[in-house]
Amino acid sequence: ESSLRRFKRGTSLVIYWALGGLWGARKTPRFPPRTMLAIVIAAIFLVLWYLSVFAVVVTALAAGEIQMPGQLEQLFAIFGGGAGDGTATDAAFGSDSGPWQAVLCQVASFPVIVLLLGLAGAGGLEKISNAASYTKAYLLDEPTDNGIVGVRAKARQRVVDALREVFAQDDPAYDEVYVVCHSLGGASAVDALAQFGAGREKVTLFTWGTAMGVLALQSDWVEDESDTLITHTPSIAGWIDVVFRQDYMASVVPISPEVAAGQHPGKPVVIAPKLPYGSSWNIDRVHEGYYVDQQAVKML
């Protein structure tokens, strides 16, 4: 992606996640403190990244490495001119000293921000932003590359096709079907099973480390589909929701209070097993630890 496109994508992410339901629901039981901490840290890194880009641009302008567009140069002139020393800074900002110039020089003289952001980027800032971007596209069902089918619809259809293939086996027919999903796959599986219908009563669903509880705060359809899967006839045979307490990217599956108070065979049973030894220091290893957790695998 070009720098401009990345900047636009980052800005849209900040607006979407900051102004959505997550902030207002931060005090609800469904929002684990560990998840809030992870979101705040990611937001701080993102703001620092913006500042570092700004510092690089200002430094390049001051050094005469890049030319400021005429309209932008006029805008800077409104707030104040350059330092008046005849350097390349004056060529960019004018010769009169001004408050705006002072601020720009202070930012430009802060290369440590760039160093910090370089270290942060090496630690996975790009990975965080890509995950946040895809999750936003999924929740909003934004069009895929072909511009026709939405991301959510495409993922749901892939699961529905797999279910149809399983239930089409007549010789012998399956008496029990187990659907296992991890992370964002939980939303896809629930979405597909809620739409599937016939044969659903044979399905036991295992959700491992999904963030559906947090996603439901951002998009209402996540909880609606969970309720549909539990209450509509036929209901699924059972639902096991496995969540590590140390998993920053996981939360309990969302269901409405009315459904939680009722008697439904498909209502989620939450299991919080002990984290596998040696995984607690690494966020990725914690989030993927369900595949090697003895309690989770034994239940399956």
Side-chain angles (χ1 to χ4, degrees), residues 50-267:
Y50 273 98
L51 289 176
S52 72
V53 172
F54 183 64
V56 169
V57 171
V58 171
T59 303
L61 286 169
E65 298 292 338
I66 60 175
Q67 297 298 319
M68 182 183 296
Q71 293 180 344
L72 190 57
E73 188 173 350
Q74 294 174 7
L75 180 63
F76 276 111
I78 294 175
F79 291 96
D85 55 4
T87 62
T89 308
D90 286 339
F93 301 111
S95 59
D96 297 327
S97 178
W100 187 246
Q101 170 64 17
V103 172
L104 292 176
C105 288
Q106 289 294 325
V107 174
S109 64
F110 221 83
V112 68
I113 296 179
V114 181
L115 175 62
L116 288 174
L117 263 295
L119 296 175
L125 186 59
E126 181 79 4
K127 183 175 182 179
I128 292 173
S129 103
N130 286 339
S133 180
Y134 180 81
T135 305
K136 169 179 172 286
Y138 184 88
L139 292 175
L140 297 179
D141 201 19
E142 293 178 354
T144 53
D145 293 337
N146 59 23
I148 301 174
V149 182
V151 173
R152 173 190 169 194
K154 184 176 182 180
R156 177 178 59 213
Q157 190 58 46
R158 291 178 63 183
V159 181
V160 168
D161 289 344
L163 289 169
R164 285 175 177 165
E165 184 176 349
V166 167
F167 282 102
Q169 305 295 323
D170 295 328
D171 187 21
Y174 290 106
D175 297 318
E176 299 176 350
V177 176
Y178 294 86
V179 176
V180 188
C181 46
H182 174 255
S183 196
L184 188 59
S188 297
V190 171
D191 204 10
L193 284 168
Q195 304 293 324
F196 188 69
R200 201 164 52 191
E201 68 279 1
K202 298 181 179 181
V203 173
T204 298
L205 177 62
F206 282 81
T207 46
W208 287 355
T210 75
M212 291 176 60
V214 174
L215 300 181
L217 301 174
Q218 195 75 9
S219 293
D220 293 337
W221 70 260
V222 179
E223 183 177 293
D224 293 341
E225 293 292 70
S226 298
D227 287 351
T228 297
L229 180 58
I230 298 168
T231 58
H232 285 200
T233 304
S235 174
I236 56 176
W239 188 342
I240 308 297
D241 187 29
V242 185
V243 181
F244 291 137
R245 293 187 179 91
Q246 300 91 334
D247 190 353
Y248 286 84
M249 293 179 279
S251 55
V252 175
V253 167
I255 56 175
S256 64
E258 296 78 14
V259 174
Q263 298 296 324
H264 305 284
K267 192 164 64 174

